[in-house]
Every structure is written in C-alpha cells, then in structure tokens.
Amino acid sequence: MANVERYEAPESLPELTQILAEGPATMFAGGTDVVPQMRVGARPVRPTLININRLADLRGISESNGVVRIGGLTSVADILDCAFLKQVASVVVQAADCFASGQVRNAATLGGNICNASPAGDMIIPLLVLDAEVELASWRNACVARRRMPLCDFFTGPGKTCIEDAEVLAAVQFPVPKPHTVGRFRKFGTRPALDIAVVSVGLAGVKENGCFKDARVAFGAVAPTPIRGRNTEAALVHVELDGDRISDIAQVAEQEVSPISDVRASAWYRTHLIRELMERMLHEVHQTRD
Amino acid sequence: MTALIEKETLIGKRVPKLDAPKKVTGAAQYIHDIELPGMLVGKIRRSERVHARIVRIDTTEAKALPGVHAVLTAADTPGVGLGHGKDNPPLKGDKVRCERDEIAAVAAETEDIAEQALKLIRVEYEDLPAVFSPAEALEDGAPIIHEQHPKNIPFTYDYHHGDVAQGEAESDVVIEDNYRLHFVTHCCMGVSGAIAQFDSEGNLTVHSQTQVPFLYKKEIAPVIAVPPEKIRVIQPVIGGAFGSKLDIYPFEPICIFLARATRRPVRVLFTREEEFLASPTRQPVELVLRSGVKSDGTLTFRNCRTLHDNGGYTSWGATTPFVIMQTISSLYRVPHCQYHTTVVYTNNPYSGSFRGFGNLQATFAVESHMDKLAEAVGMDPLAFRMHNAQQPEETTPQGMVFHTCGLSECLSITTEKSGFLAKHDANRETQAAPTRTGSAVKRGIGMASLLHVGGGAKIYRSDGCGTILKVDDHAHVTVITGSTEIGQGSETVIAQLVGEELGLPVSAITVINSDTEITPWDVGVHASRTTFIAGNSARGAARKARDKLLIAAGEKLKVDPETLDLRKGLVVRSDSGESLLELGKLIRSLHFARKAEVVMTSDYYEPPSVMQDSEFKGDVSASYAFGTQVVELEVDTGTGVIRILKVTSAHDVGKVINALSIEGQIEGGVVMGMGYAIAEHLIVKDGRMKNPSFRDYKLVTAPEIPVVDMHFIETNDPEGPVGAKGVGEAPAICTAAAIVNALYNATGVRFCELPLTPEIVLRGLKQCGGHCP
Amino acid sequence: MKCIKQEISFTLNGGAVCVDVPVTTDTLTMLRDRLKLTGTKYGCGEGECGACTILVDGVAVNACLMFAVDCHGRELTTIEGVQTEDGLSTMQRAFVSCGATQCGFCTPGLIMQGTSLLNRSPDISVEQIKRGIEGNLCRCTGYHKVIDAIATALDSNRSAPKEHS
C-alpha cells in the first residue's frame, strides 16, 4: 500500500503547480469528499498530499469583460451568499441551496465538487446550462500554463475527468447571461438538501415573448456523467410554450436519458422523474413573465 | 413572625432534565469517551458470505503483526450461544448464516493496526445454498440454517379466544389483506461499543450500553464462562437505545474474550457502517389479516397469520408476537380471535426489539382494516372506532384488565381538534380529480389508535425495581435506582417523584443509576416500564423516608407527626404552613443523637401483573396505555412524495409528571413513526444490506417534520405513580397506520406495504404494483 | 497506510495549541484521540449527521470531513469552548430549559450549529432554523424542542451582545 511521504500547503498557484509537476499527488481543499474517500480506501493514496486550501487567489467570484469567473476554491456557501450571482446567474445559487448541509457547504469547494465528477454532482448541472468552461492550470516552461475546456467535455465517467495529474482546476467561467435569461435548477428528493440527487435538471436560456431564443438543458444522475440534454434543447427553442408543447418537450427529455437502477431509484422512476421535473420546470418558466 | 410555606407540587411541571447540563457542555461520558490506562482496540472480522461453511481460518499473519495482542476465533471460546434462542455463538466456527457474522477478533495497540490485522486473517469458505425469504425457507428441501431446526422454524405462536368460524358466520362483511412490513433499524446516534476489563482475581468489569444491566450478568455469564457474581456492569451515558440494547449481541462477549486473552482493558467500537450491518433490525413481518363486521358496525372476528423473517439467529424480534397479538385481540373489542405466527430462519439480518416491539406492524394492519371495514359498512372512521373501542374496567378476552382506558377520549379530542370528519369528507371529493401538472398535490387525513403496555410487562417472574434512598445531613437526597437512563428522562421523573414526597426541589436530589455494584435489582429499561415501575419504587422509598423524618420531627417538636408536612426543605405545620424546623437540622440532630441514626430507606416495587399462561392469557401489565393520532399529509401524485403536515395526537398517559419530557417523547416518537412509514428503508437483497449509511438510509431531518399538536388524557391510573402510565413507546406505534389511512383518503389507493417512499408510492398510484417496466 | 506527521499550531477554544499529527488524520480524530476533547462526537464519519460540528474561524464545519493539518493557523471552537465566564452560553441554557436534549449524543453538534446560526444572523425564521440544522441528525427529539431552543436563544440574544464568533 502506498504511503504518504510528503505534505505541502502552498500559498500560490506557481508554488502549487510546481509541486504537482514533481510527481503524483493528492490534492484537498474542503476535504468533504477526500477525507471519507481516503478513510474507506475509495481513493488511491499518492505519495504527496497537498493542502490547496491556502491559495487565496483561487477563491472568489468576479466579473470582467462579460465573463463571470468563480475560483476553484470558492466554497459552496460563498456561492449561496453571493448577491451578484443571485442577480445574474441564480441557477447556480439555486443549486448551492440544495447542496448537502450548512456545514458541508461551508467547507466544500466548487472545484472539488466538479473534480469529484459525480454523475449527481449538484454544482455541475447549473454550470453546464450556463455554458461554463473550466480553467486547468499546470506548470509548463517555468511558468503557470492555463488551458480551458468546455465543462460539458470535461467528464469522462463516474469520478473521472480530463484533468491531468499535474493540473489543478483553477476556475470556472461562463459568459454573463444575456438579458431575459431564465435559469432553473431542480433536484429531486424528499428533503430540501442533504440528499444525493436521484435526478436533477437544469435549464437556462433567453426567453422573450414566451419563447426561448436559445436554451441549454442538463441532467444529473441519469448517465455516467452529468449530461447536456441536446435533444430537449432543440425541442425547446423557438417554440411557443403551451401545455401540449411542454408535454412534448418533457417527453423528449424522458427519451434522451438512459439512467441505471441502483439503491436510490430504478431506471423507470428516474426516467419518469426527468419528464415530471422538466414538465414542471417549463410550466413554471412559462408562467413567469419574461 | 414565622414564614408560611405553601405546598408546591413538582408534578406536571416543565422540569429540565437533570443530565442536560452535562450533555450541553460535552461533559457527558459515553462509551466512546472513556479512556482506561492500557486500553487496547478490539475489532471484529465479519463474514463476506451469507451462508457458508468455514473450512479454515488462518490467523498466523495477523498474530505476527507488531502491535497485535490477540487474535481469537471460535476455537478460543466456549462456543455457547447468545440471545433468546441461544443459537448465536459470539464467534462462528462451523458456518456463517448471515452477512454480519463474526468469525474472528483482534486486539491491538491502535485502530490502524487492528484493521490491518483483520485484513491478514485468511478465511476459506465453502458456500452453501441460501434462502432470503420465509416462504423459500419453508419449502421442502430448503437449505437448513440451523441443524437443530430442520424445518427452519425455531418458534411458532398460537392464540385464540372465541370461535372465528362462528364470528365469520355472523359477519355481514369479511375482508382479508396481506401486509408486508420492511426492515428498519434503530440508528442510535451513538454507535455501539463496550469496554471489558478483568482484575487479577478474575473479576470482570464491563462498561456496557445495555438496557438490562442485571439480566445482562445472568445472560452473559455462561457465554463467557464467568459466574454472574464476578461481573460488574457499569453503564456510561447511553447515546440512544430504543430497544437495540435489550439483547446481548456478539461484540460484547467478544470484547470480554479479548480482554481476558490480553489481560488488558479492551474496547470494541463500531463504525457507522458496522452499526448498520451488525445491529438488530425491527422485525419484518408478512401478515395476513382477516376481519369481519356486522352491518351495524360491530366487529365479529379477527384472524391473523404472520410469517416472521427471523434472519440467521434468534434475538428479541422472534418474540414480537407477544405484543402483536395484544393489538390483534384487544385494541378493539373482538369477540372471536385467532392468531398464528411462524418464525422462520433465513440468511437475512436478524431482528431485535425496537420501540413498540411488533406493535407498529400490528397496528398498521389492524388500523388499515378498521378504515376498510368502516367504509364497507358505510360508517365514518371515527364512529366505527368509537363503536368498537375498549372502555374502562373492561377485561379483554386475552385477560388484560383496563382499570383506566382513555381510548374514547383520545379518539374524540384528536378528531375534534383536527377537524377530522369535515376534512376526511372534503378530501374524498378530490380523490378522483384529474392530476395534471400544477395540481398534482392531494391532501389526505387519516387516523389510527394504539394499545400498548403502560405498567411494565411481566415477561419474567419479577417485573420489579429496587430503590435505595438516603438523605444526607444537608437534606440532599441520593436516590439509587435499579432503573436505566437512556435519554428518556427517567432520572428526572424519579427525582420529581422523590422531591414531591420529601418537599424538596429536584436540585436537592441526585440519582445514581449506572453501576450494578451499587444499584439494586431491576428488570431493565423496556416495555415503557421505567416511569411506572421505577417511579413507584422510588416513591415507595421516599415515602418511607418521609415517614421516618416526620416521626423524628414530631418527637423533636413534641407534636403529632400527622400534623406535619415537608415543604421547601422545611418541616412545617401542614394546616397552616408554619415553618417549624429546617430539614437539614433535623437530620443532623438524628446523626448527633445518643442513638444516632441515618435516614436511609429502600423499596422494591413489584407490579400486580401476572405472567401470561401457556395460551398467552393473563393481565401482563399493571396498566395499559392508549392513544390516537390523526395525520394530515400532502401527496404529490406526480412524484409520489409525501409530506406530513400535521399530527394531532392524544395519549392516555395516566398523569403528566414532566410536561417537558413527555412532549419530547411524543414528538420524538411521532417523527420516528413517520420515518418508519415514509423515509426509512434498510434495503436487504440476497441477504446483504445495500444502504448501510446515512447517505442512503434516510432518517427524517428537521425540515421534514410536521406540526405536532399534542393532547394528554389524564385517566389517573390507580396503580401508577401519582396516576401516571408508561408512554415511551406509544407515540411511535400508530403514526404509520394513520399515514397510510391518510394516503388512502387523499388518493383512494390502499397501500398494504411499507415504506411509502416516493417511488413505491408512485408505482402504487399508477396501479402497477412492483411490476413497472 | 503509513504517513508522515506534520506539526501544526492553531487556536483551540481561545488557547494556543501545537501538535504533530499524521497528515491524513481528520480533525475529529485529532480532537478526540489526541487532544482528548471528547465533547465533539463521531456519528457517521461522512458529514451526514453533524454530531462532530465545530466552528473553524467562526464557521460551522464537520470535523470528520476536515483534514487536521488544515487547522494550522486557524481558530477552532468546540463544545468545550462555548461556555462563558458566567457559565452556560445562551444556546446551552436554551437547550437545557427547552428540553432539547434526550440521549444527548447529537447535542454538542446541534449546539455548535445553533451557535453558528446565532452568530450569523440574529433574525431568522423557524423555517430557516429548520434548514439551518438540516445537517444534524437527531433520533430522539423529533427536532421540535431543538428548534424551540434555537429560537429561544435567538430571542434572548437579540438585545444581548454577541458570543463566540
């Protein structure tokens, strides 16, 4: 069994990425996923343990040139409390409100939730519908190199992403949603939070005159990764919503997911819920003034 | 001018728990917090198979690991069985019969070393065919779980009164339904653990969370080959019990074996996952209920057959028929009754006792049937129940004597306060309404009642409890009680009852209740008996002390003791309240007298109940508790999610002693009953638990709780302490039944299974049972 | 698994602490096993029950999910540190008087979470209190008296000065 031989608590991104470049390491910030996973042996132990919680520059929410940037170390509680996000991208805040518990929200980071890559990851769904990109940083040629990729391409399987061993998720960014954007996140459960999503649905798009000009839909816990609902999106745009149309669109959503059965729900129930949640969400959006 | 002292009562007051200050500061010492010098960590290796012969266990590598002090297998132990069926050896040597089975144990310096050592134990199995339901286990040629029970039936229970055939002949309506009740488990917030230590003379001290410290000594003695008189049981503060600590489970003797082998104190502590895997469950029951009624609404007969999935071993779950049959035979007046249970071994987890002890299951079936029968004869659920309700001074055909019975009052007040009848009718109107999106939520209201023992349960020859009481020279009282505090507040109630007799505030009273070397005998904390039995015993001791003090005061003051009273730490004239003498001064004068005396008394209270005869008849409790709960809920017919909005409850509690505590019991019981109905589900597939964590085993959380509107019916039981009855289990018993009735009222769909988790509800509403694609 | 140790120093209940811990140890284990502060409880080890709730820099977290090494340089408050010079804190007194504790095992975590709610905003509704303790499981009380206690403490603290950030 592997041993932990080295512990580092870097305070800057150059420092961190240099350590990452030196060999396999386990990173942690809030610890809310890593600690229990390590305890039960669900996460391989690497020789270096890096506490990235001290990198102040990876924390915070900002906007410039029409792009919203959320540092990878921003806590879910900070997102929940962020007045700016509430105003421009409330769908992210809605998801933060359903996330675990107060104690976990205080410690858990956005980057951690994304990199944990759970098919049910609560924070991933709203970011998918905001067309977010992840920014991955590493040490190259004696300086910090950054690459960006669309969040929807980031996940490769349950717990698996495109991130390389020497990379850290520095930030997530997405364009400031255009005027008249509506965003909704719904997670199915019997509790307001403290629940692994049985399924979740996200929706964002510009709605004018009762009609979506553009739309993005995402589903959680219905595939090996969180997914975009491209067919649902196509069915949704440029359509004047009414009861029948909404029902049709929800049916498209139902048809484009293929969930599994597990201890939390059967595939049948998950599929049903996708339709039900989609339908309710569209009714609610339809009834809300643009 | 002397102050005049008014008589003040402690009864019915909102007295905070005596142990609350140490609990709110983190000072309370639970089993997890005790540190003994040289204490080792004990860990248990459990089976990976559900039914297999153990071919070989190799502990060589584990023993060789530095820091390991002992590795034990069945070969190192006497092999005597534990539990109600004595069929559960602490360490299994021949074969394993369920997932949790203990096959080896390690004592080591640290937790890490102990865990490593467990992994180094090599076990070779030979799989055996397994059975996972009673029906399978009863088939001809089914695999045999225990050789001594070739039909896999360790117990059967039969009860009857009257003649059900006659009852059926007299019936205008007969209905029969199958009910299936699921696995749930206690989920005590403090995980299980024990600490064992031997002294050089072979005396054993066990720090145990047991609910039955005195029976524990007797039960465990043959299993560990230590005579009971050499066993001392110390109970730390217990982090929840609810019946889970009524039986002895293998980890305790294993801990003792490890302590003996290492000559060091050893502690075994569970992880949460282990707590799920290796704790008892509530008894899952398959129950067929057949009931009849005359067109005037009079019940004619009830015939009940149950199959109990016993799991791999026999713990208290197998004995839940004792309680199930009481509700079947006596919650309402039923002239003809027949009851049969077959207890069947399977390779599933095994069940223990759990708050309500079979009564949640029985009440679910009986109260579902009551609603159906009412509807069948065109009566409303309230009138139908009222018509068949037991009344005070009734003796049921099973031999239970209801000296007091507030069932009718409970039915009246809950339905009146909740507006039951009007809502029940209104909801029925909307049952069939279309459920389009946006109007998918329907409302339901339902009711259910309960009967449970309220004055102990004489399942042993004695159902008694002892108390020793002393008053010190500053009028501080120490009450040494045999009873056990598990968080329910018994020590506070005992202090109130003692204070009431001695005219002292609870702050002047210390209750000692945690060490068998000190405390007098008691049966244990179960069957809602502690307030009633230990309360009466404490009261008896306090009355003797009071008599002694008043006689001494009379002599000193040269007045008739009959004219004196004890109030606020003073001896006073009972008519005027005139203060005559400080109590402490009186006691000091006794200590310093020529013929010195201490004020110390004892009392043993034995309730006037009897053991049931071989036909399960007899007045088994000194008093019986009744209650009714009305549940209002919303069900989302698009998702199957149920939200419990309000529970209106009324309980016949005899007399409220501590308003704060009794409210806490009701609120906690209702939420536990609600969890049983709609949230909790221990999923067992092919003998394995699929959700052994709080992530996937859903306890009710704060945002989900309903409003609880509580009413107390005070019937002043003649035998109860100041008129009180036991109420610890009652509030959890009928909530699930009321919920399923409310769900029917909302939707017109009758569910006969639990839990009512969203997917199950939705499937039921879609009328596709368990066969959806 | 073997792992190296790291020396860390932090403030614990107002006093300076310096301790070396294996770098993979969680904060709950450090508090209980190393520092012998057993008021903080293990209930599940995965952040589902809240029995191990402590305050770190005034913010409530699950000690079982936090690496002990991350305590370095920070300020921790555990249940042992919430009493005031006058005795029990407002929250603790409310738990006693409202009957919010039965078996008591979840109580330290609930008091810490309640204290953090009280510090964060003195004016919150009953519904917000319920959401505020959604991460704390209690098997005995059904939460009603816990909610009463937190509401009572909030009431009595509205005019009084803030305690323990």
Side-chain angles (χ1 to χ4, degrees):
Chain A
M1 194 181 281
N3 297 333
V4 178
E5 294 155 2
R6 179 182 175 197
Y7 168 74
E8 297 290 345
E11 294 187 353
S12 71
L13 195 55
E15 223 184 308
L16 167 64
T17 47
Q18 283 177 73
I19 299 163
L20 285 173
E22 286 163 21
T26 306
M27 278 181 280
F28 73 83
T32 56
D33 284 322
V34 182
V35 172
Q37 287 167 0
M38 267 186 144
R39 193 183 296 133
V40 301
R43 180 178 283 263
V45 177
R46 292 166 167 177
T48 302
L49 184 69
I50 310 177
N51 177 356
I52 61 171
N53 224 1
R54 306 303 161 103
L55 273 81
D57 43 344
L58 293 196
R59 199 177 297 270
I61 300 156
S62 62
E63 188 259 338
S64 73
N65 300 326
V67 174
V68 180
R69 186 179 165 85
I70 309 178
L73 290 175
T74 308
S75 73
V76 177
D78 285 344
I79 291 171
L80 181 58
D81 292 341
C82 178
F84 167 71
L85 280 180
K86 220 165 270 176
Q87 196 194 331
V88 304
S90 73
V91 65
V92 187
V93 181
Q94 292 168 36
D97 191 41
C98 302
F99 188 97
S101 65
Q103 292 93 319
V104 176
R105 289 192 288 271
N106 285 334
T109 63
L110 180 64
N113 190 242
I114 293 172
C115 290
N116 194 51
S118 161
D122 286 332
M123 298 310 296
I124 297 167
I125 302 302
L127 292 168
L128 282 175
V129 299
L130 292 171
D131 250 343
E133 289 182 326
V134 291
E135 181 181 292
L136 308 170
S138 59
W139 189 253
R140 293 261 162 82
N141 304 325
C143 66
V144 175
R146 294 167 195 262
R147 65 171 175 131
R148 292 203 186 103
M149 67 187 302
L151 183 63
C152 60
D153 297 336
F154 185 60
F155 304 103
T156 56
K160 293 196 173 71
T161 68
C162 297
I163 200 165
E164 284 171 19
D165 278 354
E167 287 181 321
V168 61
L169 192 152
V172 174
Q173 55 181 49
F174 54 86
V176 173
K178 294 176 198 143
H180 305 294
T181 293
V182 292
R184 290 288 187 278
F185 175 80
R186 288 290 178 276
K187 166 167 141 180
F188 176 77
T190 52
R191 305 166 170 177
L194 197 73
D195 223 345
I196 313 268
V198 168
V199 297
S200 56
V201 178
L203 162 70
V206 175
K207 182 169 160 265
E208 281 172 8
N209 306 321
C211 187
F212 275 94
K213 303 292 167 220
D214 65 53
R216 285 161 310 280
V217 172
F219 304 118
V222 294
T225 69
I227 55 164
R228 279 279 290 271
R230 309 272 180 190
N231 297 346
T232 312
E233 292 170 6
L236 180 58
V237 289
H238 304 307
V239 163
E240 202 151 316
L241 292 178
D242 61 28
D244 287 344
R245 281 310 176 96
I246 285 172
S247 178
D248 292 345
I249 297 163
Q251 200 177 341
V252 174
E254 180 182 12
Q255 281 162 359
E256 83 172 312
V257 297
S258 49
I260 56 161
S261 294
D262 65 13
V263 75
R264 291 174 193 133
S266 71
W268 170 80
Y269 188 55
R270 284 196 163 99
T271 310
H272 170 84
L273 286 174
I274 288 292
R275 180 187 179 131
E276 193 70 30
L277 261 54
M278 194 77 240
E279 192 164 344
R280 287 178 188 202
M281 188 181 276
L282 291 175
H283 272 286
E284 190 198 313
V285 166
H286 177 50
Q287 279 151 20
T288 312
R289 266 197 292 156
D290 300 341
Chain B
M1 174 95 194
T2 331
L4 299 183
I5 311 297
E6 300 262 329
K7 185 155 185 78
E8 276 179 20
T9 182
L10 290 168
I11 304 305
K13 293 289 158 59
R14 306 180 76 78
V15 180
K17 292 184 76 214
L18 295 184
D19 59 5
K22 71 177 179 185
K23 286 178 171 171
V24 301
T25 51
Q29 283 223 316
Y30 298 82
I31 193 85
H32 329 80
D33 307 327
I34 295 166
E35 199 67 49
L36 297 181
M39 187 161 71
L40 298 172
V41 175
K43 288 253 168 215
I44 296 168
R45 171 72 183 263
R46 299 180 183 280
S47 169
E48 293 91 52
R49 312 295 173 92
V50 293
H51 197 198
R53 197 158 300 288
I54 300 171
V55 178
R56 192 174 297 110
I57 306 179
D58 182 357
T59 58
T60 323
E61 277 184 81
K63 279 179 174 154
L65 189 71
V68 169
H69 287 249
V71 182
L72 302 180
T73 64
D76 307 302
T77 69
V80 177
L82 277 166
H84 180 67
K86 309 280 178 237
D87 57 1
N88 189 0
L91 287 165
K92 282 67 175 171
D94 57 346
K95 70 172 195 171
V96 294
R97 297 173 179 87
C98 59
E99 186 184 20
R100 63 178 283 179
D101 266 10
E102 301 79 3
I103 44 185
V106 169
E109 295 284 345
T110 68
E111 191 154 339
D112 285 347
I113 296 170
E115 263 165 25
Q116 275 185 61
L118 287 187
K119 289 182 189 141
L120 294 174
I121 297 169
R122 313 267 172 237
V123 188
E124 202 180 307
Y125 301 95
E126 183 188 302
D127 276 323
L128 297 168
V131 281
F132 304 115
S133 75
E136 277 177 74
L138 289 173
E139 282 171 15
D140 283 344
I144 296 167
I145 317 280
H146 288 268
E147 297 303 327
Q148 63 273 38
H149 297 287
K151 291 185 182 305
N152 291 326
I153 302 174
F155 300 96
T156 58
Y157 294 80
D158 281 287
Y159 166 85
H160 83 280
H161 68 250
D163 174 1
V164 288
Q166 187 194 329
E168 186 147 355
E170 291 168 2
S171 303
D172 294 312
V173 177
V174 173
I175 58 171
E176 181 174 309
D177 287 289
N178 297 314
Y179 297 94
R180 295 172 78 93
L181 288 311
H182 60 315
F183 280 108
V184 296
T185 188
H186 305 73
C187 296
C188 301
M189 294 314 300
V191 289
S192 297
I195 298 171
Q197 181 174 30
F198 283 91
D199 71 9
S200 57
E201 310 302 304
N203 296 302
L204 167 66
T205 300
V206 195
H207 297 260
S208 170
Q209 302 164 304
T210 178
Q211 294 177 232
V212 289
F214 294 93
L215 296 174
Y216 180 99
K217 295 185 357 170
K218 179 170 167 286
E219 296 281 316
I220 206 167
V223 178
I224 56 174
V226 176
E229 61 272 22
K230 290 177 87 90
I231 303 171
R232 174 185 189 182
V233 180
I234 298 177
Q235 293 158 291
V237 179
I238 296 172
F242 313 110
S244 64
K245 293 153 177 76
L246 199 57
D247 209 345
I248 302 170
Y249 294 102
F251 73 92
E252 298 212 40
I254 288 172
C255 182
I256 293 164
F257 294 144
L258 290 170
R260 184 155 53 194
T262 58
R263 297 190 198 142
R264 297 261 292 260
V266 173
R267 171 164 56 200
V268 171
L269 267 190
F270 282 5
T271 61
R272 176 56 63 186
E273 185 183 17
E274 210 174 7
E275 183 76 12
F276 273 100
L277 292 171
S279 296
T281 68
R282 190 183 286 286
Q283 177 67 53
V285 178
E286 293 174 32
L287 191 151
V288 183
L289 186 62
R290 189 172 174 84
S291 309
V293 67
K294 290 182 188 169
S295 55
D296 71 351
T298 306
L299 286 171
T300 48
F301 79 97
R302 199 166 269 153
N303 193 346
C304 177
R305 284 170 288 127
T306 87
L307 273 182
H308 275 40
D309 181 347
N310 204 41
Y313 303 94
T314 303
S315 178
W316 284 110
T319 69
T320 49
F322 282 120
V323 174
I324 294 177
M325 67 173 76
Q326 288 174 7
T327 288
I328 302 289
S329 78
S330 302
L331 168 55
Y332 296 98
R333 284 194 304 263
V334 186
H336 307 284
C337 178
Q338 191 158 328
Y339 176 89
H340 173 83
T341 286
T342 307
V343 179
V344 188
Y345 280 125
T346 66
N347 295 111
N348 282 333
Y350 52 95
S351 308
S353 85
F354 192 170
R355 192 183 201 175
F357 207 85
N359 209 348
L360 284 73
Q361 298 91 315
T363 302
F364 181 80
V366 166
E367 285 290 347
S368 294
H369 252 205
M370 290 301 281
D371 261 25
K372 272 186 90 167
L373 291 167
E375 194 175 335
V377 296
M379 287 174 82
D380 72 62
L382 172 63
F384 182 63
R385 285 175 173 84
M386 280 291 197
H387 182 69
N388 291 288
Q390 301 283 3
Q391 300 299 331
E393 296 303 343
E394 225 163 317
T395 299
T396 81
Q398 208 187 339
M400 292 180 258
V401 185
F402 298 151
H403 295 293
T404 57
C405 170
L407 179 54
S408 296
E409 291 93 324
C410 290
L411 284 163
S412 300
I413 196 163
T414 48
T415 47
E416 184 197 316
K417 296 287 178 186
S418 62
F420 176 84
L421 287 174
K423 288 178 183 169
H424 193 262
D425 284 349
N427 293 334
R428 278 163 61 145
E429 301 292 312
T430 59
Q431 267 178 12
T435 57
R436 286 294 303 158
T437 303
S439 63
V441 172
K442 292 187 171 179
R443 279 208 173 212
I445 191 165
M447 68 188 302
S449 295
L450 73 100
L451 154 70
H452 203 68
V453 293
K458 196 160 283 182
I459 55 170
Y460 304 100
R461 272 182 301 158
S462 168
D463 189 28
C465 175
T467 305
I468 302 165
L469 182 150
K470 76 180 177 79
V471 192
D472 78 4
D473 51 345
H474 300 286
H476 190 90
V477 177
T478 304
V479 185
I480 306 169
T481 171
S483 67
T484 294
E485 169 76 41
I486 48 173
Q488 84 281 40
S490 63
E491 58 189 30
T492 310
V493 162
I494 286 169
Q496 283 177 264
L497 290 167
V498 167
E500 185 73 5
E501 293 299 325
L502 298 178
L504 291 169
V506 291
S507 59
I509 298 160
T510 300
V511 179
I512 306 284
N513 53 4
S514 58
D515 185 344
T516 57
E517 299 269 273
I518 298 163
T519 55
W521 198 82
D522 173 57
V523 173
V525 55
H526 68 100
S528 305
R529 68 187 286 280
T530 301
T531 291
F532 195 99
I533 308 285
N536 268 333
S537 173
R539 206 159 166 252
R543 284 184 156 177
K544 288 176 189 170
R546 174 191 165 86
D547 289 348
K548 201 165 179 176
L549 289 165
L550 290 181
I551 289 167
E555 276 172 22
K556 193 173 167 72
L557 298 164
K558 312 245 177 302
V559 296
D560 180 359
E562 294 289 319
T563 66
L564 300 175
D565 195 9
L566 300 175
R567 293 177 197 169
K568 290 191 173 173
L570 301 164
V571 179
V572 303
R573 217 182 279 284
S574 46
D575 52 2
S576 65
E578 184 192 341
S579 164
L580 300 173
L581 179 60
E582 205 189 302
L583 188 58
K585 208 166 183 174
L586 171 67
I587 294 158
R588 290 193 292 277
S589 77
L590 290 173
H591 290 181
F592 301 146
R594 191 171 298 238
K595 264 183 75 183
E597 253 196 294
V598 290
V599 181
M600 181 145 126
T601 60
S602 70
D603 189 77
Y604 187 83
Y605 174 75
E606 180 65 48
S609 47
V610 298
M611 289 183 83
Q612 290 175 336
D613 62 20
S614 58
E615 296 184 327
F616 301 107
K617 290 177 182 166
D619 192 19
V620 74
S621 182
S623 173
Y624 296 88
F626 299 87
T628 301
Q629 292 176 1
V630 170
V631 164
E632 291 170 70
L633 57 73
E634 274 179 4
V635 54
D636 184 329
T637 57
T639 61
V641 172
I642 294 174
R643 292 194 198 291
I644 310 296
L645 306 173
K646 186 176 180 186
V647 178
T648 307
S649 81
H651 287 269
D652 170 4
V653 300
K655 174 89 183 165
V656 173
I657 296 178
N658 186 334
L660 206 54
S661 292
I662 205 162
E663 288 168 13
Q665 288 299 305
I666 305 286
E667 290 160 346
V670 163
V671 170
M672 190 176 266
M674 165 187 164
Y676 180 60
I678 69 166
E680 297 176 37
H681 189 194
L682 195 63
I683 301 168
V684 178
K685 198 157 186 291
D686 297 338
R688 295 179 189 276
M689 281 182 200
K690 297 296 176 187
N691 56 340
S693 79
F694 286 141
R695 242 164 231 256
D696 291 314
Y697 185 96
K698 301 288 186 193
L699 292 181
V700 174
T701 61
E704 301 162 81
I705 62 169
V707 172
V708 179
D709 177 23
M710 281 173 280
H711 303 275
F712 299 105
I713 306 300
E714 295 195 318
T715 49
N716 285 304
D717 192 88
E719 184 64 24
V722 301
K725 300 180 179 184
V727 70
E729 296 168 278
I733 289 171
C734 63
T735 316
I739 287 172
V740 80
N741 286 340
L743 184 59
Y744 175 75
N745 180 237
T747 62
V749 179
R750 173 65 59 191
F751 287 78
C752 294
E753 292 186 24
L754 291 179
L756 300 169
T757 44
E759 181 169 351
I760 293 172
V761 170
L762 188 73
R763 283 177 187 274
L765 294 181
K766 288 188 171 292
Q767 300 286 324
C768 49
H771 306 293
C772 281
Chain C
M1 181 177 66
K2 283 190 179 137
C3 92
I4 54 158
K5 289 187 173 185
Q6 175 78 19
E7 190 175 281
I8 54 171
S9 46
F10 55 97
T11 306
L12 178 58
N13 297 329
V17 174
C18 185
V19 63
D20 62 334
V21 291
V23 296
T24 53
T25 298
D26 61 81
T27 302
L28 177 63
T29 305
M30 174 183 75
L31 288 170
R32 290 185 55 84
D33 295 356
R34 185 67 196 274
L35 299 169
K36 306 298 178 195
L37 291 181
T38 55
T40 307
K41 301 302 181 195
Y42 164 87
C44 71
E46 50 182 19
E48 293 284 327
C49 80
C52 67
T53 304
I54 59 168
L55 304 186
V56 178
D57 296 334
V59 171
V61 299
N62 296 306
C64 74
L65 296 184
M66 183 183 177
F67 279 97
V69 283
D70 200 29
C71 294
H72 181 67
R74 303 173 81 169
E75 199 177 310
L76 271 64
T77 310
T78 67
I79 187 67
E80 289 88 353
V82 296
Q83 272 178 268
T84 67
E85 282 172 9
D86 307 331
L88 300 184
S89 73
T90 311
M91 189 61 66
Q92 289 172 315
R93 279 200 307 274
F95 267 66
V96 172
S97 66
C98 295
T101 175
Q102 288 188 29
C103 91
F105 200 83
C106 68
T107 304
L110 272 163
I111 288 182
M112 299 314 289
Q113 182 64 8
T115 302
S116 83
L117 295 176
L118 182 143
N119 288 344
R120 209 175 126 92
S121 114
D123 280 304
I124 58 172
S125 66
V126 167
E127 289 312 309
Q128 286 170 312
I129 293 173
K130 289 182 185 173
R131 284 290 320 263
I133 57 167
E134 68 194 350
N136 294 77
L137 296 178
C138 169
R139 192 55 155 162
C140 299
T141 64
Y143 306 100
H144 295 84
K145 300 249 177 289
V146 173
I147 295 160
D148 287 353
I150 295 173
T152 302
L154 286 165
D155 274 347
S156 56
N157 233 48
R158 240 161 236 151
S159 49
K162 218 172 139 175
E163 302 173 6
H164 296 281
S165 49

